[in-house]
């Protein structure tokens, strides 16, 4: 069973299995990937500004103007974003998406709501 397993806590790729658990050498987190039905400490659940749980492929609406780091453009509040992908980035961004006119970008779920 070769999987692209990464640490759900820190995103480290050098994780290793230990029996039914996986271990992360970076942060010491251990978890059971089979245990998807039961939320564990450190499990990532992505919720929008209203507390709705988001899933891959959802469409969301940006709720406020967002400055793009390193760019002059701004994502306007009210912009619709289709087909989001949930990610677990270290910098707090947890949604990957593409916005027309802007391109591929990462957003924070607290600045969107489910469309
Ligand atoms: Zn880790």
């Amino acid at each position: 069973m070769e999987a692209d397993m990464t640490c759900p806590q820190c995103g480290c790729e050098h994780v290793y299995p230990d029996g039914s658990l996986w271990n992360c050498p970076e942060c010491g987190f251990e978890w059971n990937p089979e245990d998807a039905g039961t939320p564990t400490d450190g499990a990532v659940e992505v919720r929008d500004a209203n507390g709705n749980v988001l899933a891959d492929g959802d469409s969301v609406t940006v709720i406020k103007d967002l400055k793009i780091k390193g760019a002059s453009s701004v994502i306007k509040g009210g912009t619709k974003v289709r087909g989001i992908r949930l990610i677990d980035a270290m910098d707090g961004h947890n949604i990957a998406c593409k916005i027309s006119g802007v391109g591929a970008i990462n957003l924070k779920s607290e600045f969107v709501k489910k469309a």
Side-chain angles (χ1 to χ4, degrees), residues 31-81:
W31 72 100
N32 181 355
E34 314 287 334
D35 202 11
T38 317
T40 54
D41 287 345
V44 181
E45 201 169 61
V46 176
R47 290 174 184 269
D48 71 3
N50 295 328
N52 295 312
V53 177
L54 298 171
D56 283 350
D58 275 354
S59 295
V60 297
T61 305
V62 177
I63 59 170
K64 57 173 269 189
D65 290 0
L66 298 175
K67 283 217 179 100
I68 304 167
K69 220 174 170 183
S72 55
S73 44
V74 168
I75 303 170
K76 289 275 183 205
T79 301
K80 275 219 168 187
V81 184

Side-chain angles (χ1 to χ4, degrees), residues 7 9-10 12 24 26-27 29:
C7 174
Q9 189 101 310
C10 72
C12 169
C24 174
E26 295 289 327
C27 70
F29 188 62

